[in-house]
Amino acid sequence: MHALRHARVATSVIFAVHGAVTGTFAARVPWIADHVGVGAGGLGVALLMPGVGALLAMPLSGRLVHRFDLRALTRVLILLWCAALALPALPADVYALCATLIVYGATAGLADVAMNAEAVLIEERYGRSVMSSFHGYWSVGGLAGSAVAATATGLDARIHFTLTAVALAAIALTASFWLLRHRPEPTLEEPPAFALPSRAVLPIGLVALCAVFAEGSGLDWSAVYVRDVVGGSADVAALTVSVFSISMAVARFAGDKVIQRLGPVRTVQVAGLCAAAGAVTVVLAKHVAAAFAGFGLLGVGIAVVVPLVFATAGRIGDHPGRSLAGVAGIAYGSGLVAPGILGGIAHLTSLTTSFIVVTALTVVMGLGSRVLRTPEPASPR
């Protein structure tokens, strides 16, 4: 049990490091755009590339999780992810930036699947829900990375990214020695080298799609919504993203106890109601306070769904890496298209109509909760 507690702390650190890399990059996107000399249109295309890279790489992760010891694999991939942070600050033109962001996204996706496989293993050993807290640490890491980056805006991002990558790699490397070792049973057939989501994973992936789409709407459009629809100032609008992100982080730390009490299905049903209520509040908001409350409720409602989706997928079949990769691929795909779809709807109609679509997706998320029923125990791995 002592080793298991150490492994849980170590995995929490790995999740926080992964989130910190993401938050660091996101906060310095304006510097990267200025350095490359790209406008809003070119930047929008470039920022699609991490999702493309992740989608291309994730189908390979099932084979990697099957073939290599999980502790060693997670260690290597999280270190590659830290090293990849240095890449986006190097290009001098948009084409090179797109190429580096594909590599950046591919390492993100592979590390994501490996650390979630480690988290599923720890949750199995505990015999109760602990996955939500891991994703809570990812949120904390993202907030910390962006906060530190905000204080380094006067520093050349090439220096900032390199120093941050080295520091985060050192933290991740140290923590990785306490991760659990695990290899699948040698009698299990190896999964395909490039495995698409299985039929059993697709319904779970649909729930993930709805949750990640709503998450992307909150992260990418909440500030714009408060500024353009509600009439808040630029400073107040920027604060909306923090309200949304902090709400998600707090809910994820509380999520495991809620899941233990209500079970996965009931939890997602309640979460869907909460998220839908938040999205409706956003649609009806006439004042900044109401918009804050709406985005806060939306963040709370979707916070535990993605951790539950990963935990459920990791218990399906004999190859958890393949199932995790399938769900993660669908989730990343949703995150990839969400900003563009919302922007397109807003262009054709209004941003308020876009959030009516988000409301509908949160309802679908709650109605799809039954696919997260705890599966029958699989054969020992």
Side-chain angles (χ1 to χ4, degrees):
M1 194 64 183
H2 191 62
L4 185 58
R5 284 196 295 268
H6 280 178
R8 182 177 179 181
V9 172
T11 304
S12 299
V13 172
I14 298 296
F15 269 77
V17 166
H18 194 287
V21 172
T22 305
T24 300
F25 166 74
R28 299 305 304 267
V29 166
W31 185 97
I32 293 170
D34 290 341
H35 179 66
V36 174
V38 64
L43 180 62
V45 172
L47 291 179
L48 290 175
M49 295 302 108
V52 171
L55 287 173
L56 290 174
M58 276 180 170
L60 304 172
S61 56
R63 173 72 69 89
L64 294 176
V65 171
H66 179 86
R67 182 170 290 185
F68 299 103
D69 171 63
L70 189 55
R71 180 167 77 176
L73 180 65
T74 304
R75 176 188 298 150
V76 169
L77 292 177
I78 195 66
L79 291 178
L80 286 175
W81 171 228
C82 291
L85 176 60
L87 297 178
L90 301 178
D93 63 75
V94 69
Y95 301 105
L97 177 62
C98 287
T100 58
L101 288 180
I102 288 175
V103 176
Y104 172 86
T107 56
L110 292 173
D112 192 305
V113 172
M115 72 187 191
N116 274 285
E118 180 76 23
V120 167
L121 181 62
I122 291 171
E123 184 169 271
E124 287 179 350
R125 301 282 176 88
Y126 265 92
R128 56 184 173 84
S129 177
V130 296
M131 179 68 84
S132 187
S133 67
F134 291 133
H135 286 256
Y137 280 105
W138 188 96
S139 297
V140 169
L143 288 167
S146 59
V148 171
T151 68
T153 52
L155 185 65
D156 187 304
R158 289 167 291 192
I159 299 172
H160 172 210
F161 281 5
T162 301
L163 293 175
T164 302
V166 170
L168 291 175
I171 294 170
L173 178 62
T174 302
S176 69
F177 288 99
W178 282 274
L179 297 174
L180 294 180
R181 291 183 178 275
H182 177 73
R183 296 193 74 151
E185 293 293 329
T187 55
L188 288 178
E189 183 181 353
E190 194 170 53
F194 192 85
L196 295 175
S198 66
R199 184 176 299 177
V201 163
L202 286 176
I204 301 172
L206 176 62
V207 175
L209 183 151
C210 295
V212 174
F213 195 103
E215 181 179 350
S217 71
L219 289 173
D220 295 326
W221 288 100
S222 58
V224 178
Y225 194 95
V226 168
R227 185 193 64 194
D228 293 352
V229 178
V230 183
S233 67
D235 291 342
V236 171
L239 185 60
T240 314
V241 181
S242 298
V243 170
F244 179 78
S245 299
I246 292 170
S247 297
M248 284 192 65
V250 171
R252 281 176 168 169
F253 283 115
D256 288 321
K257 291 189 180 298
V258 175
I259 294 164
Q260 291 164 27
R261 185 177 182 85
L262 300 181
V265 174
R266 187 75 180 277
T267 297
V268 175
Q269 289 171 346
V270 173
L273 285 173
C274 181
V280 169
T281 302
V282 168
V283 169
L284 299 177
K286 302 297 182 185
H287 303 285
V288 169
F292 275 16
F295 281 110
L297 280 172
L298 181 62
V300 169
I302 62 177
V304 299
V305 178
V306 171
L308 266 173
V309 160
F310 276 105
T312 304
R315 293 191 291 266
I316 290 179
D318 294 325
H319 299 295
R322 178 182 180 181
S323 299
L324 284 168
V327 166
I330 295 171
Y332 268 72
S334 176
L336 179 64
V337 302
I341 290 177
L342 286 173
I345 294 171
H347 177 72
L348 294 173
T349 55
S350 68
L351 198 50
T352 301
T353 303
S354 296
F355 275 87
I356 293 175
V357 174
V358 173
T359 303
L361 288 174
T362 59
V363 172
V364 172
M365 181 185 78
L367 292 176
S369 60
R370 292 194 177 279
V371 304
L372 300 181
R373 284 176 295 189
T374 304
E376 293 297 319
S379 57
R381 292 190 254 116

